[in-house]
Amino acid sequence: MPTFSHQLNQRLRSAVANAAAEKGVELPGEVSIFVTPATDPRFGDYQTNVAMMLGKRLKTNPRDFAGEVIEAFDGEGLTENPEIAGPGFINFRLTTTALAERLSVVASNDRLGVEQVQNPETIVIDFSAPNVAKPMHVGHIRGTIIGDCLSRVARFLGHHVITDNHIGDW
């Protein structure tokens, strides 16, 4: 299942291309058009500064271009109406319906929507290496816990994991 950011990126690319075409301008090939998670929840769930990046290249006011991108943006079933902030940021807020549908799909999946890797690798994890000539203490458990967590995550992703608890060479 595609992530929200992947879906937004596709729709944003289409909207930016359409907005540029309306101006009779072709987008430069090297332009990166993408959303990022919002840094502050007050601004929504995702945001982009693509209008500010392209404003100069397209010889237009970034805030005006952001408005044109929003007009061309199709958020049907995914986002509420995007908003312009500051000099041309575009903020996106996911709909509660989209969030509820995704949560329902993830909750009904044994793997919680996490796919296994395409090319599994063999990973060796050494949990801890306490010096047997010195007293043990709670800090020695930290490496073991971290190692166990990493091995469980790697196995869940489909990797072959070899674990070792090396006790030193005393």
Side-chain angles (χ1 to χ4, degrees):
M1 169 179 281
T3 63
F4 286 131
S5 60
H6 180 74
Q7 291 175 327
L8 281 168
N9 285 336
Q10 288 181 321
R11 294 180 187 201
L12 180 62
R13 282 186 197 103
S14 176
V16 170
N18 290 340
E22 284 287 320
K23 294 182 114 9
V25 178
E26 190 172 321
L27 290 175
E30 75 281 354
V31 173
S32 294
I33 299 172
F34 59 91
V35 297
T36 58
T39 55
D40 185 333
R42 292 178 298 164
F43 302 128
D45 299 305
Y46 292 92
Q47 61 191 25
T48 184
N49 64 351
V50 69
M52 293 185 304
M53 289 187 330
L54 291 175
K56 288 181 184 177
R57 289 184 181 190
L58 301 178
K59 296 182 175 132
T60 187
N61 180 316
R63 194 166 170 88
D64 293 342
F65 186 63
E68 294 168 16
V69 169
I70 286 174
E71 283 183 36
F73 183 78
D74 176 18
E76 181 71 28
L78 185 62
T79 67
E80 296 172 4
N81 290 331
E83 300 169 347
I84 302 172
F89 287 102
I90 302 174
N91 297 326
F92 301 92
R93 217 173 279 285
L94 298 171
T95 64
T96 53
T97 303
L99 289 168
E101 287 173 1
R102 177 65 53 92
L103 182 59
S104 174
V105 168
V106 168
S108 66
N109 182 313
D110 290 343
R111 296 190 48 81
L112 301 175
V114 177
E115 295 180 16
Q116 290 195 321
V117 294
Q118 298 268 340
N119 301 313
E121 297 180 18
T122 298
I123 300 172
V124 178
I125 297 178
D126 182 9
F127 286 173
S128 63
N131 185 338
V132 294
K134 293 183 179 179
M136 290 285 289
H137 58 82
V138 73
H140 289 103
I141 284 184
R142 181 182 59 199
T144 301
I145 291 170
I146 293 170
D148 185 55
C149 290
L150 291 173
S151 66
R152 288 173 186 241
V153 168
R155 282 189 183 112
F156 187 74
L157 292 174
H159 296 291
H160 174 67
V161 181
I162 299 170
T163 58
D164 185 30
N165 194 1
H166 180 70
I167 58 167
D169 57 357
W170 180 71

